[in-house]
Amino acid sequence: MAKDGIGRPRDVTCEDVLTAFDDVEKPVATGKLLAEMLDVSKQSVLRRLQELEEEGRVERWKVGSRAVVWWPTEES
């Protein structure tokens, strides 16, 4: 279920996304890479990354016209 208990079950949790960073061989990852690693849609991962960013658990950097990289903060 969604965090508020309403809506469809989540394909991936915030904790799943944070754990996936442990398997990334670089200091940053793209939403696409994390989605492929977790075998879920990119949109699902991006929603969780946005939640994590609001909580201060990940940061992002726009590195191109459409490219964004993400990394966990030290608090994560």
Side-chain angles (χ1 to χ4, degrees):
M1 281 288 153
K3 189 169 26 176
D4 58 8
I6 300 171
R8 296 182 350 182
R10 291 184 167 186
D11 296 332
V12 64
T13 66
C14 290
E15 295 307 315
D16 293 336
V17 173
L18 283 175
T19 301
F21 277 104
D22 294 338
D23 295 328
V24 176
E25 297 177 3
K26 305 288 184 197
V28 297
T30 63
K32 180 180 177 182
L33 174 64
L34 293 168
E36 289 171 357
M37 292 173 65
L38 293 166
D39 195 29
V40 296
S41 74
K42 181 179 169 186
Q43 287 303 94
S44 292
V45 169
L46 291 176
R47 282 192 292 270
R48 299 301 82 78
L49 286 167
Q50 289 171 346
E51 286 180 40
L52 289 164
E53 183 182 34
E54 289 171 8
E55 296 170 2
R57 298 173 72 190
V58 298
E59 293 184 34
R60 69 181 170 140
W61 181 30
K62 189 171 182 178
V63 295
S65 63
R66 294 178 55 181
V68 176
V69 294
W70 301 83
W71 63 94
T73 61
E74 291 187 20
E75 295 88 43
S76 294

